[in-house]
Amino acid sequence: MSLFQRTTIALARSPTMGRAMRALAARSSLARRFVGGADVDAAVQTALRLRDVHGIRASLFYLGEYVADPVAIEHNVAQAIDACNALGKAGLDAHVSVDPTAIGYMESDARGAENARRIGNALRQAAGGGRDWMVLDMEDSGIRDRTCALHRDLLEAGLPAGLTLQARRRRTPEDLVWAIQQRTSLRLVKGAFPERALDHAGRERIDQAYLDAASIMLSREAQESGFYPVFGTHDDRLAGAIMALARARGWSPDAFEFEMLYGVRPDWQLALRGLGYNVRVYLPFGGDWWPYAIRRVGENPRNAWLLARSLTSD
Ligand code: FAD
């Protein structure tokens, strides 16, 4: 991991920085670019506009991660449930993304799993626009096995749960082989938590690992099992290779999707949609924007200028 990435992850996790940033600029330019609304209603309005104007779908994510306080955990769960209900009412996909460390896993696995089931049940009842999923985000390696176990538990309970896997991790193909046999959805990302001992080394190798994993996700076996592949990347070179592979293997463009972060490469989101592919944006909402936004700086140092503006002129 580079010093820059280590620094941004440490800044993201710092409670002191989080408090200071919230006080300094509740809706800074960095937050405005990457956050889709301050509350559920605003986020649903953003999702409606994306669908109606651009035909782009959304997955709502209530901001907050690595939360140990029981009151804050309950608040996060209530926000996710409200999001499911509001999305269903608006006729949008009841699609939410959830960090296990936001909903109880910092307290105990049992609490986290119980809360995940509550969100999954709310989502099932919301009966939104058709592609209704609760997708588990994948955080650092310390919680990886527990996140995979949670995914299996939710599927066994008959809940529409998807999982995020990180291509940079050498172990990912093992998890993929099980997942593609299920009627589940898997979101493949490069991975935002680098760990040298567990990862492929270097950008080229990680990109190749992404394509190798994509090939498994677009296999005949996956197609036959009703598996729904999601490619979470802004990398147009990778997307081009995936589109070519999907065409060659007979996948119709509406049998999988590309997902990108709200505010990142909107031009490319529209271009892919224009080509007839399903595009979803991961749409964060809420006030705890600092850890999420600083991670975007870690992914692209050019976002640092937005941060600088937040600190000086907002
Ligand atoms: P890159 O090679 O990093 O980027 C490709 C292009 O997009 C480059 O031009 C780059 O400059 C541009 N770009 C990428 N990110 C940004 C940005 N923030 N701002 C401006 N330009 C940018 N990671 C996890 O570890 N766990 C998760 O659960 C997780 N969930 C995700 C969900 C979605 C929908 C997405 C899209 C990403 C998620 N990530 C997650 C983050 C992911 O792991 C990568 O860190 C991030 O997507 C950057 O990788 P990339 O594939 O876009 O490729």
Side-chain angles (χ1 to χ4, degrees), residues 212-232:
D212 293 345
S215 175
I216 299 173
M217 289 165 71
L218 291 170
S219 64
R220 181 175 295 279
E221 200 182 355
Q223 206 165 17
E224 285 168 357
S225 73
F227 173 80
Y228 188 70
V230 176
F231 300 104

Side-chain angles (χ1 to χ4, degrees), residues 77-303:
V77 174
Q79 290 289 322
I81 290 174
D82 282 356
C84 295
N85 294 335
L87 286 165
K89 230 181 249 166
L92 292 160
D93 290 352
H95 198 299
V96 292
S97 295
V98 172
D99 277 5
T101 64
I103 59 159
Y105 270 83
M106 300 290 282
E107 199 180 307
S108 72
D109 287 15
R111 173 56 51 86
E114 182 196 328
N115 285 336
R117 277 194 291 273
R118 285 170 62 201
I119 299 169
N121 280 317
L123 188 136
R124 196 163 46 184
Q125 278 161 22
R131 295 208 168 90
D132 303 336
W133 291 98
M134 167 173 55
V135 179
L136 301 174
D137 291 337
M138 185 59 76
E139 302 169 87
D140 65 89
S141 65
I143 190 156
R144 180 195 169 105
D145 289 349
R146 295 149 76 203
T147 304
C148 291
L150 172 63
H151 179 229
R152 287 177 192 232
D153 286 354
L154 293 169
L155 289 182
E156 274 165 26
L159 293 169
L163 178 71
T164 307
L165 286 178
Q166 299 151 325
R168 65 183 318 121
R169 294 276 192 265
R170 291 196 302 272
R171 207 191 94 178
T172 284
E174 285 170 42
D175 294 320
L176 262 174
V177 168
W178 178 82
I180 63 163
Q181 292 161 356
Q182 321 300 315
R183 282 185 73 82
T184 185
S185 179
L186 221 149
R187 174 201 281 148
L188 181 67
V189 299
K190 287 189 186 177
F193 300 86
E195 279 181 63
R196 194 178 294 176
L198 306 175
D199 287 353
H200 294 292
R203 194 184 169 82
E204 245 172 64
R205 187 63 197 91
I206 292 169
D207 286 358
Q208 187 54 50
Y210 194 105
L211 289 177
D212 293 345
S215 175
I216 299 173
M217 289 165 71
L218 291 170
S219 64
R220 181 175 295 279
E221 200 182 355
Q223 206 165 17
E224 285 168 357
S225 73
F227 173 80
Y228 188 70
V230 176
F231 300 104
T233 182
H234 314 94
D235 188 329
D236 44 279
R237 219 176 34 83
L238 288 186
I242 287 164
M243 287 185 272
L245 187 63
R247 258 195 315 274
R249 301 240 180 112
W251 284 74
S252 88
D254 65 356
F256 64 98
E257 69 188 32
F258 291 102
E259 188 171 354
M260 294 180 229
L261 304 178
Y262 179 73
V264 176
R265 298 207 66 190
D267 50 343
W268 178 234
Q269 296 173 12
L270 292 178
L272 270 180
R273 186 69 201 120
L275 290 170
Y277 289 93
N278 290 323
V279 177
R280 187 178 301 278
V281 293
Y282 182 103
L283 200 157
F285 69 98
D288 192 17
W289 59 274
W290 168 252
Y292 179 84
I294 192 69
R295 196 161 296 127
R296 307 293 70 89
V297 175
E299 282 161 2
N300 187 339
R302 272 177 294 182
N303 289 328

Side-chain angles (χ1 to χ4, degrees), residues 19-97:
R19 273 194 302 276
M21 292 309 294
R22 266 194 300 279
L24 193 66
R27 294 285 290 138
S28 75
S29 48
L30 193 71
R32 270 198 301 276
R33 162 134 185 219
F34 294 120
V35 177
D39 56 26
V40 171
D41 290 343
V44 169
Q45 286 308 313
T46 306
L48 273 169
R49 185 178 47 76
L50 284 166
R51 185 197 62 183
D52 294 346
V53 180
H54 302 299
I56 288 178
R57 296 164 183 264
S59 181
L60 263 55
F61 168 72
Y62 184 64
L63 290 162
E65 51 191 88
Y66 296 96
V67 180
D69 170 27
V71 176
I73 291 169
E74 188 52 34
H75 176 74
N76 289 348
V77 174
Q79 290 289 322
I81 290 174
D82 282 356
C84 295
N85 294 335
L87 286 165
K89 230 181 249 166
L92 292 160
D93 290 352
H95 198 299
V96 292
S97 295

